[in-house]
Amino acid sequence: MSATNPRVGVAVRTKNRPWFLKRTIADIVAQRYASWSVHIVNDGGDPSAVDALVSALPDEQRRRIRISHNPAPSGRSAAANQAIRGLDTEFVVLHDDDDLWDPGFLEATVAHLDAQPNDVGVMVRTEIVYEKQEAGEFIETGRAPFWPGLTEITYSDLLQVNRAVPISYLYRRSLHEEVGYYREDLHAVEDWEFNLRTTLRHHIGFLDGEPLAFWMQRAGVGGELGNSMYALASEHEHFDRLVRDEALRAYVEQNGPGLALYLTRYIQDEVQRQLDERRGPGQRIIEAARGWRRRQRQR
């Protein structure tokens, strides 16, 4: 497959992070699988820094990269959609500008989707990499597995919490024509909500083994250099609740409030019962005695 007709489109969203973007471009170029193109959406950042990075690349690499400059920020989800819409490839993957791949990521994921035509996409074993800023660069300080017990991607598991990050997920671009794009009113958890829509209808494969994707995290780093796990923590919580509340209201509107009312009280009572069991009989007797004394004093 020639570079002029690539199979994989890599969507990159960035804003005023040239050090990370340079690392991301090098990460993509280092892939053993060579049939790729890149669309970088500079979402309201300095255009000169992005242009300079790409202009410095060899001709063969530079021809594979398209840049779109937004004069003002459009938001994380809108930038992701813009980057994907600018790609005309069989497969797409969202490569945030601070995350990384193993050199075999594209090779392994494309091979899986070629061998498994019923899988709409495939996710890989992922590792968290912690890093800190030092002398104008970011250096690794440690690693941790991301969902080490994960063996498959299921809708029921995703209902609880997202078990994937965009850097780990290659999928068929045609999926967007069926289930839509990332919701642009969500400024966090947009990938989780998209994965829920996807797994409601389709199966996503999973490649176990050594990690092929690396989710970079920088605790304590805020602003434009922060990663969403920390810099957008409150937004994650807000939009997670929003998505769940929308789904609950849609269910109740169609089916009535009975099950929702029952479960909210049942879960509350069950949690209290389990807490009571953990306290043990001795502690329960002491607490009962304290309650009795409080009631006596209030008489």
Side-chain angles (χ1 to χ4, degrees), residues 34-106:
S35 184
W36 52 261
S37 64
V38 177
H39 185 192
I40 298 173
V41 172
N42 175 29
D43 195 33
D46 176 19
S48 61
V50 178
D51 290 338
L53 281 174
V54 176
S55 296
L57 297 171
D59 288 346
E60 193 277 333
Q61 296 173 10
R62 189 171 63 249
R63 286 194 296 267
R64 297 173 178 231
I65 300 176
R66 173 189 175 189
I67 305 172
S68 296
H69 295 296
N70 293 339
S74 62
R76 289 168 48 84
S77 301
N81 289 338
Q82 180 182 353
I84 292 166
R85 287 189 172 103
L87 293 164
D88 184 18
T89 53
E90 181 181 358
F91 307 115
V92 291
V93 56
L94 184 56
H95 191 313
D96 281 329
D97 66 358
D98 57 344
D99 293 327
L100 294 172
W101 284 331
D102 178 272
F105 172 84
L106 289 180

Side-chain angles (χ1 to χ4, degrees), residues 113-187:
L113 292 182
D114 283 343
Q116 302 293 334
N118 291 328
D119 283 355
V120 74
V122 59
M123 297 179 183
V124 303
R125 176 71 62 199
T126 303
E127 192 168 44
I128 298 171
V129 179
Y130 301 106
E131 54 186 1
K132 68 175 183 179
Q133 191 171 18
E134 189 173 287
E137 299 183 349
F138 285 85
I139 61 171
E140 180 180 329
T141 61
R143 297 192 175 208
F146 179 62
W147 291 107
L150 188 67
T151 59
E152 60 182 330
I153 307 299
T154 66
Y155 180 73
S156 58
D157 283 341
L158 288 173
L159 283 174
Q160 182 184 33
V161 66
N162 199 7
R163 284 167 165 77
V165 283
I167 192 66
S168 72
Y169 183 31
L170 180 80
Y171 58 95
R172 305 183 195 276
R173 193 193 184 287
S174 59
L175 178 64
H176 286 295
E177 309 308 318
E178 180 184 350
V179 304
Y181 285 77
Y182 296 101
R183 277 182 51 176
E184 297 186 3
D185 62 325
L186 301 178
H187 303 303

Side-chain angles (χ1 to χ4, degrees), residues 239-255:
F239 288 108
D240 181 285
R241 289 180 179 273
L242 184 147
V243 170
R244 294 179 189 278
D245 192 64
E246 284 180 351
L248 178 61
R249 285 186 283 111
Y251 177 87
V252 169
E253 185 175 14
Q254 183 171 352
N255 298 282

Side-chain angles (χ1 to χ4, degrees), residues 232-288:
L232 299 178
S234 61
E235 285 85 351
H236 275 272
E237 179 69 18
H238 167 71
F239 288 108
D240 181 285
R241 289 180 179 273
L242 184 147
V243 170
R244 294 179 189 278
D245 192 64
E246 284 180 351
L248 178 61
R249 285 186 283 111
Y251 177 87
V252 169
E253 185 175 14
Q254 183 171 352
N255 298 282
L259 182 62
L261 285 171
Y262 173 78
L263 285 177
T264 50
R265 183 53 189 260
Y266 172 81
I267 292 170
Q268 178 185 6
D269 291 346
E270 178 63 14
V271 169
Q272 186 62 52
R273 183 189 67 78
Q274 293 186 23
L275 289 173
D276 288 343
E277 287 184 353
R278 290 181 182 180
R279 284 199 294 268
Q283 188 173 0
R284 292 200 298 271
I285 292 172
I286 293 172
E287 290 177 354

